[in-house]
mmCIF file of all heavy atoms in Angstrom:
data_model
loop_
_atom_site.group_PDB
_atom_site.id
_atom_site.type_symbol
_atom_site.label_atom_id
_atom_site.label_comp_id
_atom_site.label_asym_id
_atom_site.label_seq_id
_atom_site.Cartn_x
_atom_site.Cartn_y
_atom_site.Cartn_z
ATOM 1 N N GLY A 1 251.567 136.561 135.997
ATOM 2 C CA GLY A 1 252.267 137.346 136.919
ATOM 3 C C GLY A 1 251.730 137.128 138.341
ATOM 4 O O GLY A 1 252.564 137.042 139.359
ATOM 5 N N LEU A 2 250.475 136.994 138.454
ATOM 6 C CA LEU A 2 249.888 136.723 139.815
ATOM 7 C C LEU A 2 250.244 135.175 140.297
ATOM 8 O O LEU A 2 250.527 135.099 141.496
ATOM 9 C CB LEU A 2 248.399 136.812 139.728
ATOM 10 C CG LEU A 2 247.541 136.949 140.966
ATOM 11 C CD1 LEU A 2 247.983 138.206 141.761
ATOM 12 C CD2 LEU A 2 246.087 136.974 140.751
ATOM 13 N N VAL A 3 250.318 134.265 139.320
ATOM 14 C CA VAL A 3 250.720 132.974 139.750
ATOM 15 C C VAL A 3 252.233 132.976 140.255
ATOM 16 O O VAL A 3 252.544 132.399 141.264
ATOM 17 C CB VAL A 3 250.579 132.071 138.589
ATOM 18 C CG1 VAL A 3 251.388 130.798 138.760
ATOM 19 C CG2 VAL A 3 249.165 131.806 138.227
ATOM 20 N N PHE A 4 253.038 133.686 139.494
ATOM 21 C CA PHE A 4 254.501 133.673 139.846
ATOM 22 C C PHE A 4 254.641 134.491 141.225
ATOM 23 O O PHE A 4 255.511 134.176 142.080
ATOM 24 C CB PHE A 4 255.397 134.237 138.700
ATOM 25 C CG PHE A 4 255.754 133.186 137.821
ATOM 26 C CD1 PHE A 4 255.084 133.143 136.469
ATOM 27 C CD2 PHE A 4 256.544 132.128 138.103
ATOM 28 C CE1 PHE A 4 255.386 132.219 135.579
ATOM 29 C CE2 PHE A 4 256.833 131.179 137.185
ATOM 30 C CZ PHE A 4 256.303 131.199 135.873
ATOM 31 N N THR A 5 253.960 135.559 141.376
ATOM 32 C CA THR A 5 254.081 136.342 142.601
ATOM 33 C C THR A 5 253.556 135.531 143.830
ATOM 34 O O THR A 5 254.161 135.531 144.881
ATOM 35 C CB THR A 5 253.338 137.681 142.431
ATOM 36 O OG1 THR A 5 253.683 138.301 141.274
ATOM 37 C CG2 THR A 5 253.564 138.546 143.642
ATOM 38 N N GLY A 6 252.440 134.837 143.640
ATOM 39 C CA GLY A 6 252.009 133.985 144.647
ATOM 40 C C GLY A 6 252.856 132.787 144.983
ATOM 41 O O GLY A 6 253.034 132.455 146.139
ATOM 42 N N LEU A 7 253.509 132.282 143.872
ATOM 43 C CA LEU A 7 254.451 131.149 144.255
ATOM 44 C C LEU A 7 255.634 131.636 145.002
ATOM 45 O O LEU A 7 256.102 131.011 145.868
ATOM 46 C CB LEU A 7 254.915 130.593 142.802
ATOM 47 C CG LEU A 7 255.853 129.458 142.850
ATOM 48 C CD1 LEU A 7 255.203 128.232 143.508
ATOM 49 C CD2 LEU A 7 256.299 129.079 141.452
ATOM 50 N N SER A 8 256.138 132.818 144.599
ATOM 51 C CA SER A 8 257.203 133.479 145.338
ATOM 52 C C SER A 8 256.870 133.758 146.827
ATOM 53 O O SER A 8 257.691 133.528 147.747
ATOM 54 C CB SER A 8 257.700 134.733 144.648
ATOM 55 O OG SER A 8 258.784 135.295 145.243
ATOM 56 N N LEU A 9 255.641 134.174 147.053
ATOM 57 C CA LEU A 9 255.214 134.414 148.401
ATOM 58 C C LEU A 9 255.063 133.093 149.165
ATOM 59 O O LEU A 9 255.514 133.036 150.379
ATOM 60 C CB LEU A 9 253.827 135.014 148.392
ATOM 61 C CG LEU A 9 253.074 135.219 149.717
ATOM 62 C CD1 LEU A 9 253.873 136.161 150.607
ATOM 63 C CD2 LEU A 9 251.701 135.838 149.531
ATOM 64 N N ALA A 10 254.631 132.135 148.561
ATOM 65 C CA ALA A 10 254.575 130.755 149.360
ATOM 66 C C ALA A 10 255.937 130.225 149.523
ATOM 67 O O ALA A 10 256.164 129.751 150.706
ATOM 68 C CB ALA A 10 253.723 129.737 148.409
ATOM 69 N N CYS A 11 256.889 130.349 148.589
ATOM 70 C CA CYS A 11 258.153 129.854 148.936
ATOM 71 C C CYS A 11 258.823 130.688 150.018
ATOM 72 O O CYS A 11 259.568 130.124 150.835
ATOM 73 C CB CYS A 11 258.978 129.812 147.576
ATOM 74 S SG CYS A 11 258.462 128.586 146.296
ATOM 75 N N ALA A 12 258.576 131.927 150.021
ATOM 76 C CA ALA A 12 259.238 132.788 150.964
ATOM 77 C C ALA A 12 258.653 132.463 152.462
ATOM 78 O O ALA A 12 259.342 132.470 153.403
ATOM 79 C CB ALA A 12 259.026 134.275 150.681
ATOM 80 N N ALA A 13 257.440 132.228 152.396
ATOM 81 C CA ALA A 13 256.754 131.941 153.791
ATOM 82 C C ALA A 13 257.284 130.622 154.299
ATOM 83 O O ALA A 13 257.538 130.427 155.397
ATOM 84 C CB ALA A 13 255.258 131.871 153.570
ATOM 85 N N LEU A 14 257.460 129.580 153.312
ATOM 86 C CA LEU A 14 258.023 128.233 153.729
ATOM 87 C C LEU A 14 259.502 128.385 154.169
ATOM 88 O O LEU A 14 259.888 127.650 155.092
ATOM 89 C CB LEU A 14 257.841 127.333 152.545
ATOM 90 C CG LEU A 14 256.462 126.748 152.398
ATOM 91 C CD1 LEU A 14 256.323 125.907 151.140
ATOM 92 C CD2 LEU A 14 256.072 125.905 153.630
ATOM 93 N N ALA A 15 260.219 129.397 153.519
ATOM 94 C CA ALA A 15 261.598 129.522 153.935
ATOM 95 C C ALA A 15 261.659 130.125 155.370
ATOM 96 O O ALA A 15 262.414 129.723 156.180
ATOM 97 C CB ALA A 15 262.322 130.448 153.024
ATOM 98 N N TRP A 16 260.692 131.001 155.704
ATOM 99 C CA TRP A 16 260.652 131.615 157.045
ATOM 100 C C TRP A 16 260.209 130.623 158.087
ATOM 101 O O TRP A 16 260.780 130.489 159.180
ATOM 102 C CB TRP A 16 259.744 132.772 156.896
ATOM 103 C CG TRP A 16 259.460 133.366 158.294
ATOM 104 C CD1 TRP A 16 260.380 133.635 159.384
ATOM 105 C CD2 TRP A 16 258.301 133.935 158.854
ATOM 106 N NE1 TRP A 16 259.905 134.280 160.422
ATOM 107 C CE2 TRP A 16 258.524 134.458 160.187
ATOM 108 C CE3 TRP A 16 256.935 134.046 158.378
ATOM 109 C CZ2 TRP A 16 257.509 135.037 160.937
ATOM 110 C CZ3 TRP A 16 255.940 134.599 159.161
ATOM 111 C CH2 TRP A 16 256.318 135.146 160.433
ATOM 112 N N ILE A 17 259.201 129.745 157.711
ATOM 113 C CA ILE A 17 258.783 128.735 158.623
ATOM 114 C C ILE A 17 259.904 127.663 158.819
ATOM 115 O O ILE A 17 260.121 127.285 159.969
ATOM 116 C CB ILE A 17 257.569 127.978 158.046
ATOM 117 C CG1 ILE A 17 256.322 128.929 158.104
ATOM 118 C CG2 ILE A 17 257.186 126.740 158.842
ATOM 119 C CD1 ILE A 17 255.184 128.450 157.325
ATOM 120 N N GLY A 18 260.699 127.327 157.800
ATOM 121 C CA GLY A 18 261.727 126.449 158.041
ATOM 122 C C GLY A 18 262.853 127.041 158.930
ATOM 123 O O GLY A 18 263.430 126.345 159.735
ATOM 124 N N PHE A 19 263.085 128.316 158.811
ATOM 125 C CA PHE A 19 264.053 129.023 159.677
ATOM 126 C C PHE A 19 263.545 129.072 161.113
ATOM 127 O O PHE A 19 264.305 128.861 162.029
ATOM 128 C CB PHE A 19 264.368 130.439 159.104
ATOM 129 C CG PHE A 19 265.293 131.187 159.983
ATOM 130 C CD1 PHE A 19 266.680 130.936 159.928
ATOM 131 C CD2 PHE A 19 264.810 132.065 160.893
ATOM 132 C CE1 PHE A 19 267.518 131.654 160.631
ATOM 133 C CE2 PHE A 19 265.698 132.798 161.690
ATOM 134 C CZ PHE A 19 267.054 132.627 161.600
ATOM 135 N N ALA A 20 262.257 129.283 161.257
ATOM 136 C CA ALA A 20 261.770 129.452 162.628
ATOM 137 C C ALA A 20 261.677 128.020 163.354
ATOM 138 O O ALA A 20 261.783 128.025 164.576
ATOM 139 C CB ALA A 20 260.346 130.024 162.499
ATOM 140 N N CYS A 21 261.578 126.984 162.563
ATOM 141 C CA CYS A 21 261.537 125.742 163.109
ATOM 142 C C CYS A 21 262.921 125.161 163.463
ATOM 143 O O CYS A 21 263.005 124.109 164.008
ATOM 144 C CB CYS A 21 260.827 124.726 162.202
ATOM 145 S SG CYS A 21 259.015 125.026 162.192
ATOM 146 N N GLY A 22 263.906 125.884 162.969
ATOM 147 C CA GLY A 22 265.278 125.471 163.219
ATOM 148 C C GLY A 22 265.941 124.481 162.278
ATOM 149 O O GLY A 22 266.834 123.785 162.491
ATOM 150 N N VAL A 23 265.316 124.397 161.034
ATOM 151 C CA VAL A 23 265.779 123.413 159.994
ATOM 152 C C VAL A 23 267.116 124.091 159.502
ATOM 153 O O VAL A 23 267.111 125.222 159.120
ATOM 154 C CB VAL A 23 264.783 123.356 158.853
ATOM 155 C CG1 VAL A 23 265.451 122.441 157.773
ATOM 156 C CG2 VAL A 23 263.558 122.704 159.371
ATOM 157 N N PRO A 24 268.272 123.393 159.532
ATOM 158 C CA PRO A 24 269.551 124.008 159.197
ATOM 159 C C PRO A 24 269.651 124.241 157.665
ATOM 160 O O PRO A 24 269.052 123.466 156.868
ATOM 161 C CB PRO A 24 270.517 122.923 159.615
ATOM 162 C CG PRO A 24 269.824 121.681 159.640
ATOM 163 C CD PRO A 24 268.464 122.019 159.988
ATOM 164 N N ALA A 25 270.277 125.340 157.360
ATOM 165 C CA ALA A 25 270.482 125.707 155.928
ATOM 166 C C ALA A 25 271.528 124.695 155.404
ATOM 167 O O ALA A 25 272.563 124.545 155.983
ATOM 168 C CB ALA A 25 270.892 127.144 155.810
ATOM 169 N N HIS A 26 271.268 124.178 154.295
ATOM 170 C CA HIS A 26 272.206 123.199 153.705
ATOM 171 C C HIS A 26 272.854 123.768 152.417
ATOM 172 O O HIS A 26 272.331 124.700 151.907
ATOM 173 C CB HIS A 26 271.478 121.891 153.425
ATOM 174 C CG HIS A 26 270.330 122.026 152.650
ATOM 175 N ND1 HIS A 26 269.227 122.553 153.106
ATOM 176 C CD2 HIS A 26 270.107 121.675 151.338
ATOM 177 C CE1 HIS A 26 268.219 122.581 152.103
ATOM 178 N NE2 HIS A 26 268.777 121.997 151.025
ATOM 179 N N ASP A 27 273.915 123.198 152.062
ATOM 180 C CA ASP A 27 274.622 123.712 150.884
ATOM 181 C C ASP A 27 274.429 122.905 149.726
ATOM 182 O O ASP A 27 275.255 122.789 148.741
ATOM 183 C CB ASP A 27 276.177 123.686 151.196
ATOM 184 C CG ASP A 27 276.517 124.760 152.271
ATOM 185 O OD1 ASP A 27 275.838 125.707 152.301
ATOM 186 O OD2 ASP A 27 277.584 124.516 152.919
ATOM 187 N N CYS A 28 273.263 122.299 149.551
ATOM 188 C CA CYS A 28 272.957 121.552 148.296
ATOM 189 C C CYS A 28 272.217 122.317 147.306
ATOM 190 O O CYS A 28 271.897 121.774 146.207
ATOM 191 C CB CYS A 28 272.142 120.223 148.639
ATOM 192 S SG CYS A 28 270.451 120.540 149.176
ATOM 193 N N GLY A 29 271.978 123.591 147.516
ATOM 194 C CA GLY A 29 271.204 124.428 146.622
ATOM 195 C C GLY A 29 272.110 124.961 145.428
ATOM 196 O O GLY A 29 273.333 124.527 145.341
ATOM 197 N N ALA A 30 271.516 125.785 144.668
ATOM 198 C CA ALA A 30 272.283 126.238 143.423
ATOM 199 C C ALA A 30 273.279 127.319 143.846
ATOM 200 O O ALA A 30 274.194 127.592 143.179
ATOM 201 C CB ALA A 30 271.253 126.932 142.593
ATOM 202 N N GLN A 31 273.195 127.902 145.119
ATOM 203 C CA GLN A 31 274.246 128.812 145.418
ATOM 204 C C GLN A 31 275.591 128.247 145.602
ATOM 205 O O GLN A 31 276.609 128.926 145.154
ATOM 206 C CB GLN A 31 273.802 129.493 146.816
ATOM 207 C CG GLN A 31 272.589 130.354 146.764
ATOM 208 C CD GLN A 31 272.356 130.983 148.077
ATOM 209 O OE1 GLN A 31 273.191 131.596 148.641
ATOM 210 N NE2 GLN A 31 271.147 130.887 148.592
ATOM 211 N N SER A 32 275.656 127.072 146.185
ATOM 212 C CA SER A 32 277.054 126.521 146.387
ATOM 213 C C SER A 32 277.585 126.072 145.086
ATOM 214 O O SER A 32 278.840 126.036 144.800
ATOM 215 C CB SER A 32 277.008 125.371 147.346
ATOM 216 O OG SER A 32 276.078 124.367 146.828
ATOM 217 N N TRP A 33 276.785 125.766 144.174
ATOM 218 C CA TRP A 33 277.133 125.330 142.790
ATOM 219 C C TRP A 33 277.555 126.546 141.982
ATOM 220 O O TRP A 33 278.635 126.561 141.244
ATOM 221 C CB TRP A 33 275.960 124.501 142.098
ATOM 222 C CG TRP A 33 276.319 124.078 140.716
ATOM 223 C CD1 TRP A 33 277.183 123.095 140.394
ATOM 224 C CD2 TRP A 33 275.855 124.639 139.492
ATOM 225 N NE1 TRP A 33 277.278 123.021 139.098
ATOM 226 C CE2 TRP A 33 276.491 123.908 138.434
ATOM 227 C CE3 TRP A 33 274.910 125.619 139.176
ATOM 228 C CZ2 TRP A 33 276.127 124.120 137.111
ATOM 229 C CZ3 TRP A 33 274.679 125.819 137.847
ATOM 230 C CH2 TRP A 33 275.232 125.111 136.878
ATOM 231 N N LEU A 34 276.848 127.663 142.115
ATOM 232 C CA LEU A 34 277.195 128.808 141.279
ATOM 233 C C LEU A 34 278.272 129.660 141.838
ATOM 234 O O LEU A 34 279.187 130.119 141.125
ATOM 235 C CB LEU A 34 275.920 129.697 141.055
ATOM 236 C CG LEU A 34 274.872 129.239 140.167
ATOM 237 C CD1 LEU A 34 273.630 130.116 140.253
ATOM 238 C CD2 LEU A 34 275.368 129.157 138.735
ATOM 239 N N PHE A 35 278.221 129.948 143.158
ATOM 240 C CA PHE A 35 279.207 130.859 143.823
ATOM 241 C C PHE A 35 280.246 130.185 144.685
ATOM 242 O O PHE A 35 281.253 130.918 145.064
ATOM 243 C CB PHE A 35 278.425 131.812 144.670
ATOM 244 C CG PHE A 35 277.236 132.522 143.981
ATOM 245 C CD1 PHE A 35 275.933 132.324 144.409
ATOM 246 C CD2 PHE A 35 277.483 133.236 142.782
ATOM 247 C CE1 PHE A 35 274.908 133.015 143.776
ATOM 248 C CE2 PHE A 35 276.492 134.001 142.258
ATOM 249 C CZ PHE A 35 275.137 133.774 142.728
ATOM 250 N N GLY A 36 280.096 128.916 144.897
ATOM 251 C CA GLY A 36 281.006 128.268 145.846
ATOM 252 C C GLY A 36 280.690 128.411 147.286
ATOM 253 O O GLY A 36 281.443 127.828 148.128
#
């Protein structure tokens, strides 16, 4: 549980850093495949 919680924290921090650096959100993820 600690590993998965830490992994989720690291991914969330990288998502924030990517947003702050201006990296555009792309539609190649699972959201566009699942929800359209």
Side-chain angles (χ1 to χ4, degrees):
L2 195 61
V3 165
F4 279 106
T5 306
L7 182 65
S8 180
L9 172 63
C11 291
L14 283 170
W16 178 38
I17 291 170
F19 178 79
C21 289
V23 176
H26 54 288
D27 292 333
C28 70
Q31 291 185 52
S32 60
W33 180 70
L34 286 174
F35 308 119

